[in-house]
Amino acid sequence: MAGKLDPKDEQLLAKAGELLDQRSYDEALELLNARIAQKLTANDRASLMFLGEIAGLLIDIGSEGKCEQAIKDGLSLLQDNRERFDGVVTTASFEYNLGNAKGALADIRTPHAFKMPGLADYDLLLAAKNHYWAALKAHDRNDHFGFSLRTNLGDTLRKSGRIAEALTAYDDMIANDPTFSMARFHRGLALLTLERLSGVRTMSLLQQAATE
């Protein structure tokens, strides 16, 4: 049975999205948490789609508003209902959201763009990379969503120090669409990261040589 979403829940999603766009993260989170407290069902297609929308909003709010708990709550909603989502949302969309959640958790813990993450955050970035790969396998097309997947994959590789692989990902996107500005922007960040890493390693070697 497909079911139909309650008009009040439709309005809630629209309002939460509007607050997110306005960067009113606390208000958006309060709105969603109040609805979650009323208990979310997952017994038909409409209720599952609503649950997925809630999870995605929590992840976006947590990512943009730097709220780790919101990301964890959104991630839990997805993971706890993974089997139920099968056939309701595409594999690419589901894996994309999981990748975004785990990548966002790593970002919060390592906020500096050129700082290498700790071991726990490497695990998160590795998991995010694997989710993006799974999404790309399910959606191997050069459309807007495909480019978003490749951009996030490249960004995850860059943040985990795999600069050569990140540059390859960005170069592939630019070859497919030279006007895709986000790929050029992130490629620039990867080159800056490479410069920073090279500088740190060079100084480290010099310091070691001076003490020997």
Side-chain angles (χ1 to χ4, degrees):
M1 184 175 178
K4 187 177 180 181
L5 188 62
D6 189 312
K8 291 183 179 179
D9 285 336
E10 290 182 352
Q11 293 173 6
L12 180 142
L13 291 176
K15 181 61 177 179
E18 180 182 328
L19 290 169
L20 175 61
D21 290 340
Q22 295 171 354
R23 299 183 180 179
S24 299
Y25 305 121
D26 290 341
E27 291 180 59
L29 189 56
E30 183 179 355
L31 184 66
L32 295 179
N33 282 336
R35 178 62 183 84
I36 291 170
Q38 299 171 16
K39 295 189 178 180
L40 299 173
T41 59
N43 50 21
D44 58 31
R45 187 179 184 86
S47 62
L48 277 167
M49 292 295 291
F50 178 62
L51 189 150
E53 291 284 351
I54 292 283
L57 283 167
L58 286 170
I59 292 167
D60 288 343
I61 290 167
S63 177
E64 294 182 27
K66 308 303 178 188
C67 178
E68 186 172 338
Q69 190 58 52
I71 300 171
K72 288 181 176 179
D73 290 344
L75 184 58
S76 292
L77 285 177
L78 293 178
Q79 292 178 325
D80 292 348
N81 294 279
R82 185 175 192 123
E83 292 184 1
R84 292 189 178 95
F85 278 116
D86 187 28
V88 176
V89 298
T90 66
T91 298
S93 178
F94 191 81
E95 295 291 341
Y96 175 73
N97 278 291
L98 291 178
N100 286 348
K102 293 178 184 180
L105 286 174
D107 285 346
I108 286 178
R109 297 170 187 175
T110 311
H112 195 286
F114 302 110
K115 182 181 178 182
M116 287 297 97
L119 290 177
D121 300 326
Y122 269 118
D123 289 341
L124 284 169
L125 290 171
L126 176 61
K129 174 190 73 74
N130 291 337
H131 288 306
Y132 291 136
W133 269 123
L136 277 169
K137 288 179 181 178
H139 187 94
D140 189 17
R141 297 195 289 276
N142 291 324
D143 55 11
H144 180 74
F145 182 53
F147 281 141
S148 294
L149 282 172
R150 288 179 172 84
T151 298
N152 288 8
L153 173 61
D155 208 27
T156 301
L157 291 167
R158 173 184 64 81
K159 290 171 183 175
S160 58
R162 299 167 68 169
I163 309 301
E165 293 173 76
L167 288 171
T168 298
Y170 299 136
D171 287 342
D172 287 345
M173 282 185 283
I174 293 168
N176 279 300
D177 183 1
T179 66
F180 190 52
S181 58
M182 285 301 292
R184 294 186 179 278
F185 172 75
H186 285 278
R187 188 180 189 279
L189 284 179
L191 290 172
L192 285 172
T193 303
L194 180 60
E195 182 183 24
R196 293 290 183 93
L197 288 174
S198 298
V200 168
R201 288 173 181 168
T202 300
M203 286 301 296
S204 177
L205 289 172
L206 287 172
Q207 290 170 355
Q208 290 178 37
T211 56
E212 290 179 354

